[in-house]
């Protein structure tokens, strides 16, 4: 089994944001959604729904950001 950084996607109240992705990144996002669907046995209807959890995970694990946030309070 592959160890992905994301797990099942939580259903949360969304805020609409428009973002442009390079075609190569979109291709990777689609491929990631396919692997995640196989690993979690939950289909990912829209690969764009992975962007928010990916950003959340990135922010939650960025030590530099956490340190800067602590010092700015």
């Amino acid at each position: 089994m592959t160890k992905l950084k994301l797990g099942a996607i939580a259903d949360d109240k969304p805020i609409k944001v428009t973002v442009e992705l390079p075609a190569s990144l979109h291709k990777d996002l689609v491929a990631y959604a396919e692997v995640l669907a196989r690993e979690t046995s939950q289909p990912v209807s829209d690969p764009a729904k992975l962007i928010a959890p990916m950003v959340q995970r990135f922010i939650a694990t960025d030590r530099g950001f956490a340190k800067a946030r602590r010092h700015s309070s």
Side-chain angles (χ1 to χ4, degrees):
M1 177 153 43
T2 305
K3 179 67 173 153
L4 299 177
K5 291 194 177 226
L6 289 183
I9 306 301
D11 189 17
D12 198 5
K13 183 175 170 87
I15 303 298
K16 185 97 172 161
V17 175
T18 302
V19 64
E20 291 184 24
L21 301 175
S24 61
L25 180 56
H26 182 263
K27 182 179 174 183
D28 288 342
L29 192 60
V30 170
Y32 195 102
E34 291 168 356
V35 173
L36 184 63
R38 282 195 307 268
E39 295 295 316
T40 62
S41 299
Q42 295 179 351
V44 178
S45 60
D46 180 6
K49 291 186 182 270
L50 299 177
I51 296 170
M54 286 176 162
V55 172
Q56 283 179 316
R57 175 81 175 184
F58 177 83
I59 289 174
T61 59
D62 187 315
R63 292 180 183 168
F65 175 69
K67 184 178 180 181
R69 189 180 227 182
R70 282 193 304 272
H71 292 310
S72 70
S73 304

